[in-house]
Amino acid sequence: MKPFFHLPLLKRLLKPSLGSSLQNTLHPRHSSHFTYFPDTVPESQGDTERLNLFQAINTALDIALATDNSSVIFGEDVGFGGVFRCTVGLQDKYGKDRVFNTPLCEQGIAGFAIGVAVGGATAIAEMQFADYIFPAFDQIVNEAAKYRYRSGNLFNCGKLTFRAPCGAVGHGALYHSQSPEAYFAHTPGLKIVVPRGPIKAKGLLLSCIRDNNPCIFLEPKVLYRSAVEMVPTEEYTMPLSSADILVEGEDITLLAWGTQIHVMREVAELARQELNVSCEVIDLVTILPWDQKTIFDSVKKTGRLLIAHEAPITNGFGAEIAAAVQNECFLHLEAPIERICGFDTPFPHIFEPFYLPDKWRCFSAIKKLINY
């Protein structure tokens, strides 16, 4: 299918604002493209192995089952490995009483998970797609999140983790590409975590599984096979509610999570080359409770903030961050806070490249902030 716009004309129209490096890579098929930026670990962490994201998650689940005899994994099709193969081989290794399939009923999966955790075991429940977590919304929001509070800390279901693939995948459309983190971020009692790659995924998932609060672990599905890193073979955990400063900068703070962090890192490099702008890139990592101090300190230094996420812009979690930052950092701001997000429509199919907060939209936002 031919693009509906004329590419040479588009290049000429954009030429005054985009440098040569952008001109050479501009193509309608690349409009939602991002370059993956792998993490590394110091040699002091010992041996490493080459893993992609789903393999790192599988390794974390293997460790959880091996180190906690009460832990169980369940969900739709997890017995044979699941749609994305994250649980492959675990049922053969640990048996059908610890890794097992459930009926196609997300409300039932969540209710059963709460019961398992209340009973003192460690529950690891998989929602096959984050888009289908909504039938379980009542159980997660009204039961799991409030169980400790309503009992005055006499009871809890803290050993409970919901895993769910989320985000754009290139062809998922309205039922398989959503990012629902903001719905749950409105609920005290939950922790919400999104990894950016295999190293973070392994450590953060183990932290969620062992945390004494219900956790929702959202896995960007487009990274399952495209994200590859040298991951430590030993068991390790990573702190929740701690943002990561990936690139230090002076002129503007770029904030994102999950897949979008790689878009931001690419945009930061483009801004350095094309605009001589120094960007500080931060991965929020944990949506709830989020690391306010790291973000506030960065914005006070740079005076500008760009937030990007795939979820729709209205009531997206970027709005909460923007409100908190302007309240705390108002006198330090050199420009209004900018948000580049998904649009307020159902997630499209063929128009996905134009829906996503890609590097072109983010780059334009950086120019707007710098020139304000």
Side-chain angles (χ1 to χ4, degrees):
M1 179 183 293
K2 293 183 180 180
F4 67 86
F5 52 79
H6 188 260
L7 184 59
L9 174 60
L10 182 62
K11 284 186 176 182
R12 288 198 299 271
L13 290 173
L14 293 178
K15 190 172 183 180
S17 60
L18 296 181
S20 58
S21 63
L22 300 186
Q23 288 282 310
N24 293 335
T25 58
L26 184 59
H27 189 282
R29 289 185 62 190
H30 297 158
S31 57
S32 62
H33 169 74
F34 66 92
T35 299
Y36 182 73
F37 288 78
D39 288 337
T40 58
V41 295
E43 293 184 1
S44 59
Q45 286 206 237
D47 294 337
T48 59
E49 56 183 334
R50 189 176 186 272
L51 300 176
N52 59 26
L53 187 71
F54 91 80
Q55 291 170 330
I57 290 168
N58 180 270
T59 301
L61 295 173
D62 191 355
I63 292 172
L65 291 169
T67 56
D68 180 358
N69 291 331
S70 77
S71 60
V72 290
I73 298 174
F74 48 91
E76 299 164 6
D77 301 323
V78 301
F80 74 83
V83 171
F84 296 103
R85 317 306 290 161
C86 291
T87 56
V88 68
L90 297 180
Q91 186 179 83
D92 292 339
K93 187 173 183 179
Y94 295 100
K96 294 183 178 181
D97 58 337
R98 297 189 64 195
V99 182
F100 50 90
N101 295 334
T102 65
L104 305 182
C105 177
E106 286 78 12
Q107 184 178 19
I109 293 171
F112 179 76
I114 294 168
V116 168
V118 170
T122 299
I124 308 168
E126 178 183 300
M127 300 292 173
Q128 197 167 76
F129 287 87
D131 310 65
Y132 297 119
I133 201 171
F134 300 117
F137 195 81
D138 175 63
Q139 289 290 331
I140 296 172
V141 168
N142 275 333
E143 305 302 332
K146 298 176 174 65
Y147 207 93
R148 177 183 283 112
Y149 176 81
R150 73 176 185 173
S151 71
N153 203 32
L154 292 176
F155 311 104
N156 73 84
C157 56
K159 293 292 186 179
L160 169 58
T161 300
F162 294 103
R163 292 182 41 250
C166 72
V169 70
H171 50 267
L174 67 168
Y175 286 139
H176 295 87
S177 289
Q178 297 175 81
S179 297
E181 65 270 11
Y183 291 100
F184 298 99
H186 194 65
T187 307
L190 299 175
K191 291 189 176 182
I192 306 166
V193 180
V194 188
R196 65 176 178 268
I199 293 172
K200 296 293 290 187
K202 180 179 177 180
L204 290 170
L205 180 54
L206 283 172
S207 293
C208 286
I209 292 169
R210 292 167 180 174
D211 195 88
N212 288 320
N213 299 278
C215 295
I216 299 177
F217 191 78
L218 298 173
E219 303 161 6
K221 67 178 77 71
V222 74
L223 299 181
Y224 273 138
R225 286 166 174 78
S226 62
V228 179
E229 294 171 347
M230 298 304 295
V231 181
T233 56
E234 295 297 320
E235 172 185 339
Y236 64 93
T237 58
M238 289 184 166
L240 305 180
S241 299
S242 179
D244 292 339
I245 300 176
L246 303 178
V247 179
E248 294 190 356
E250 301 296 330
D251 300 324
I252 183 171
T253 299
L254 308 183
L255 178 63
W257 48 88
T259 305
Q260 197 62 32
I261 198 65
H262 303 291
V263 176
M264 288 300 215
R265 292 196 66 172
E266 189 169 9
V267 169
E269 181 61 21
L270 290 173
R272 184 187 66 80
Q273 294 177 359
E274 304 293 334
L275 305 174
N276 196 30
V277 169
S278 172
C279 298
E280 182 147 292
V281 181
I282 300 180
D283 180 2
L284 190 61
V285 180
T286 304
I287 307 299
L288 190 74
W290 61 288
D291 183 355
Q292 296 189 6
K293 184 179 185 305
T294 296
I295 310 308
F296 293 163
D297 288 347
S298 177
V299 175
K300 288 177 182 178
K301 178 178 68 173
T302 65
R304 299 174 179 86
L305 174 61
L306 170 61
I307 308 165
H309 57 68
E310 292 184 9
I313 189 168
T314 297
N315 292 331
F317 196 67
E320 170 61 27
I321 297 171
V325 168
Q326 78 84 25
N327 186 64
E328 179 70 22
C329 309
F330 181 75
L331 296 179
H332 298 268
L333 290 173
E334 300 290 343
I337 298 165
E338 189 77 10
R339 290 179 293 151
I340 301 297
C341 311
F343 297 111
D344 291 331
T345 70
F347 206 101
H349 187 193
I350 61 172
F351 294 119
E352 181 182 281
F354 306 97
Y355 176 93
L356 289 171
D358 60 24
K359 58 187 176 183
W360 315 119
R361 290 173 61 196
C362 293
F363 185 78
S364 295
I366 290 175
K367 291 197 298 179
K368 178 181 177 180
L369 287 167
I370 293 298
N371 294 325
Y372 179 79

